[in-house]
Amino acid sequence: ACGIGHAPRPRAPLAVHRPSLRPVAAGDLLPPRTAMLMVSALVALLVECRRPAGDAGPPAPTPAGSEWTLVQLRGQAPPPGAAARPATLALTEVDHRVTGFAGCNRIAGSYEMAGDSLHFGPLIMTRMACADGMDLEREYSTALGAVQAWRIADGRMELLGADGVLAAFERR
């Protein structure tokens, strides 16, 4: 390792094979296999030195990059949406856009996320009238407006407000 914040890892001894005992002269080339081994070792060393101390592998889960299905709203099973369709939420990583289905209408807007903090910007919504799904839409859009943070545990995303869990989702 780099020697900074890392415990040394045991390494296999490096064996260098030279077919002759004559001194290496300027212009001599290493055998192709030896050159490849040396380049591979150098690349591995550079990659290891760029890794932050304590890096345990894959990044922590994030709500962005997946589509989520609403399974709980303010501690209760959510009311059904139009055609019994559940509410959804999707956050894009690149442009910080949020889209989804609110119960009757589609929603879209922007969001800001820093660490576990999450805030939605003004959301726009299509304006269809539905026989079913309006209760879900009203409760869901109110909950999204109160979101302050997020967490993911056991594959479930929870959106949190000042008083606790506002909504819980499962990855689609």
Side-chain angles (χ1 to χ4, degrees), residues 70-73 76-82 84-88 101-105 125 132-144 167 169:
L70 181 69
V71 295
Q72 189 177 45
L73 187 58
Q76 304 292 319
R85 195 170 149 202
T88 62
F101 177 71
C104 175
N105 291 286
M125 191 178 301
D132 297 317
M134 297 308 291
D135 290 337
L136 170 59
E137 188 164 291
R138 186 174 36 263
E139 292 177 40
Y140 185 47
S141 59
T142 300
L144 291 178
F169 299 80

Side-chain angles (χ1 to χ4, degrees), residues 23-141:
V24 177
D28 282 353
L29 296 176
L30 292 173
R33 182 170 180 206
T34 303
M36 283 301 286
L37 286 172
M38 291 177 75
V39 168
S40 296
L42 179 61
V43 168
L45 178 64
L46 291 173
V47 167
E48 184 66 25
C49 286
R50 287 186 44 109
R51 184 174 297 164
D55 186 8
T62 174
S66 295
E67 187 168 6
W68 300 89
T69 300
L70 181 69
V71 295
Q72 189 177 45
L73 187 58
R74 297 191 187 270
Q76 304 292 319
R85 195 170 149 202
T88 62
L89 190 70
L91 306 169
T92 61
E93 292 182 67
V94 176
D95 59 358
H96 292 227
R97 303 290 305 159
V98 58
T99 59
F101 177 71
C104 175
N105 291 286
R106 304 268 321 143
I107 57 173
S110 62
Y111 72 92
E112 292 181 20
M113 185 167 51
D116 64 352
S117 171
L118 176 63
H119 297 278
F120 294 104
L123 298 176
I124 59 171
M125 191 178 301
T126 57
R127 288 289 175 197
M128 296 187 314
C130 300
D132 297 317
M134 297 308 291
D135 290 337
L136 170 59
E137 188 164 291
R138 186 174 36 263
E139 292 177 40
Y140 185 47
S141 59

